[in-house]
Amino acid sequence: MEKAMASLIHGQSGHTKAFLLAAKTRPKEESIPLLFHVLQSSNLWLEAMMMLLWINFSRIKGMASFFEWENDLAKKPEQAVQAVEAYRHFWTAMYSLALAFLELTEQLMLEMANLHRPSPDRRLAEQQVIQVLELLDDLSRFLLRKAEF
């Protein structure tokens, strides 16, 4: 499950980076709407991923107390190593995703700052940038909680 979720996260990270590259190669009239679209889809994806991660974490907590995984893994060191590797892969994917989203918000904020006249979508974009940053904050807090568990 950890590996599958890490693959999903790596996919979204690559998707975001591809759109960032596409936006850099297009004229400003096309790049700003493209970045707004990426921002909207990123927000929706982050919300869905948060829900999936929360469901997965709740299952793990419930099963861990039932099966006492810690004692079970102590008897099977090869499975413990695999679990640690899967979790490390997951954290690497999350780090890559966070960097991609931060780059997206940075590029969008630079584009909005360079606009000579206010765009009607500017206020909406500012709210969505804040929402992405808040979701990343929630996600990092959740992952720390998962790591502590």
Side-chain angles (χ1 to χ4, degrees):
M1 187 79 154
E2 291 285 324
K3 287 182 180 178
M5 289 175 48
S7 296
L8 278 174
I9 293 166
H10 269 300
Q12 179 63 25
S13 179
H15 176 78
T16 303
K17 290 176 184 177
F19 270 107
L20 284 168
L21 185 61
K24 288 179 181 178
T25 60
R26 298 192 187 260
K28 289 209 186 280
E29 305 82 43
E30 295 177 22
S31 69
I32 293 174
L34 179 63
L35 289 172
F36 287 161
H37 177 69
V38 175
L39 187 63
Q40 288 174 329
S41 68
S42 297
N43 273 333
L44 294 173
W45 188 90
L46 266 175
E47 288 175 3
M49 183 50 73
M50 278 294 293
M51 184 61 68
L52 182 61
L53 287 170
W54 182 254
I55 290 169
N56 185 37
F57 182 56
S58 298
R59 280 185 58 217
I60 289 171
K61 279 176 43 178
M63 292 171 73
S65 61
F66 184 75
F67 291 115
E68 296 182 8
W69 279 3
E70 190 174 340
N71 293 334
D72 190 44
L73 285 178
K75 298 173 194 167
K76 301 174 186 172
E78 69 281 350
Q79 287 183 351
V81 169
Q82 289 175 355
V84 168
E85 283 301 314
Y87 196 61
R88 188 174 296 144
H89 185 63
F90 180 80
W91 270 94
T92 304
M94 285 306 306
Y95 181 72
S96 174
L97 179 72
L99 288 179
F101 283 161
L102 290 174
E103 188 179 341
L104 169 66
T105 56
E106 179 185 19
Q107 187 173 344
L108 191 54
M109 289 166 71
L110 287 173
E111 295 285 345
M112 288 189 306
N114 290 333
L115 289 177
H116 296 294
R117 57 187 170 163
S119 167
D121 295 331
R122 185 177 180 160
R123 183 76 177 135
L124 178 63
E126 289 170 352
Q127 290 172 344
Q128 288 177 345
V129 164
I130 291 168
Q131 185 179 1
V132 163
L133 294 174
E134 287 174 346
L135 282 169
L136 282 175
D137 183 48
D138 290 344
L139 196 56
S140 62
R141 270 193 267 117
F142 170 76
L143 292 174
L144 287 173
R145 187 171 166 201
K146 184 178 177 183
E148 288 171 358
F149 174 75

